[in-house]
Amino acid sequence: MKVTAPLYRLYEARLLRGLDRARLPRHIGVIHDGHRRYTKSAGLPDLAAGYRAGMAKFEEFLGWTTELEIPAVTCWLLSTDNLTRPPSELEPYYEVLIGLFERLPEQVGAEGFRVGFIGSLDLLPDELVAAAKRLEERSARGSRRLTNALGYGGRQEIVDAVRDMVAGLVAEGTPPDQIADHIDADMLARHLYTADLPDPDL
């Protein structure tokens, strides 16, 4: 490995120089999946070890997006559906996420990320929410965006967007019987959690 690692770095640098930056994605979405399968296939001692391996790969992935100058990354860390899993699976995951959130400010700050969260944080343990808020506060500047979906559900996002739209229309004085006439796909898109980001293209 000592001989091949420098050669691989040279090969990697050559590939990076040859990339057409104009054709790279502007927003990459990542879904964390397969921790349990990986834990079993790799013969790891417990789920926490599998979760830690997944987070280490995610941190490495963020470095790759920095090398490629990808301006936006959205990471789906935990869905509302995942919250129905047993405590024996969720509690170690929460602990690993807290550790990730404590490590990330140094990396994301150096890589120019501003960190944000979307989802129903009120469904999550207080300690995890506090760690997420500390990460957000410590990583509030940067020209690139890292959005973490935590306690996220697509249906809930649509409900929240529609509520926001209707509230805005009512505040503008739109008569109740005309509200539906003002709602279309473009308006819905403007009220989604990530309305200020381009749609993920990878």
Side-chain angles (χ1 to χ4, degrees), residues 174-181:
T174 305
D177 61 336
Q178 295 177 22
I179 286 177
D181 298 334

Side-chain angles (χ1 to χ4, degrees), residues 22-86:
R23 297 181 65 190
L24 291 175
R26 309 302 297 155
H27 184 181
I28 298 178
V30 180
I31 299 174
H32 282 236
D33 191 26
H35 290 112
R36 290 174 298 172
R37 288 188 301 275
Y38 178 76
T39 299
K40 186 176 179 180
S41 68
L44 298 175
D46 54 33
L47 273 174
Y51 295 148
R52 283 192 294 272
M55 295 310 149
K57 185 56 70 176
F58 175 62
E59 291 173 81
E60 185 180 2
F61 166 78
L62 289 179
W64 298 338
T65 67
T66 298
E67 288 180 43
L68 297 173
E69 301 172 348
I70 306 297
V73 175
T74 296
C75 178
W76 280 267
L77 288 171
L78 182 68
S79 72
T80 49
D81 290 340
N82 293 147
L83 296 176
T84 62
R85 291 187 174 171

Side-chain angles (χ1 to χ4, degrees), residues 6-199:
L7 292 175
Y8 186 80
R9 281 197 295 273
L10 288 171
Y11 171 68
E12 187 180 56
R14 182 178 176 197
L15 286 176
L16 285 171
R17 282 194 306 273
L19 286 175
D20 180 356
R21 300 287 171 142
R23 297 181 65 190
L24 291 175
R26 309 302 297 155
H27 184 181
I28 298 178
V30 180
I31 299 174
H32 282 236
D33 191 26
H35 290 112
R36 290 174 298 172
R37 288 188 301 275
Y38 178 76
T39 299
K40 186 176 179 180
S41 68
L44 298 175
D46 54 33
L47 273 174
Y51 295 148
R52 283 192 294 272
M55 295 310 149
K57 185 56 70 176
F58 175 62
E59 291 173 81
E60 185 180 2
F61 166 78
L62 289 179
W64 298 338
T65 67
T66 298
E67 288 180 43
L68 297 173
E69 301 172 348
I70 306 297
V73 175
T74 296
C75 178
W76 280 267
L77 288 171
L78 182 68
S79 72
T80 49
D81 290 340
N82 293 147
L83 296 176
T84 62
R85 291 187 174 171
S88 60
E89 292 183 19
L90 286 173
E91 288 170 7
Y93 191 55
Y94 294 153
E95 289 176 18
V96 169
L97 284 176
I98 290 167
L100 174 72
F101 297 164
E102 289 171 353
R103 287 192 309 276
L104 273 183
E106 185 175 339
Q107 177 182 357
V108 297
E111 295 179 357
F113 277 112
R114 177 165 40 110
V115 179
F117 285 85
I118 58 174
S120 301
L121 296 185
D122 57 305
L123 301 176
L124 304 172
D126 292 344
E127 189 179 359
L128 178 59
V129 173
K133 290 183 177 176
R134 283 194 302 271
L135 171 57
E136 227 172 17
E137 289 166 7
R138 293 173 62 195
S139 310
R141 292 189 171 87
S143 58
R144 301 172 66 216
R145 294 282 298 279
L146 172 58
T147 304
N148 296 290
L150 195 63
Y152 172 85
R155 291 180 180 180
Q156 188 60 49
E157 180 175 13
I158 292 169
V159 168
D160 290 345
V162 170
R163 284 178 175 163
D164 197 37
M165 282 189 297
V166 171
L169 290 167
V170 168
E172 292 169 6
T174 305
D177 61 336
Q178 295 177 22
I179 286 177
D181 298 334
H182 292 272
I183 297 175
D184 59 24
D186 289 337
M187 188 176 193
L188 180 66
R190 291 195 298 273
H191 291 268
L192 294 175
Y193 297 152
T194 54
D196 58 336
L197 291 172
D199 289 340

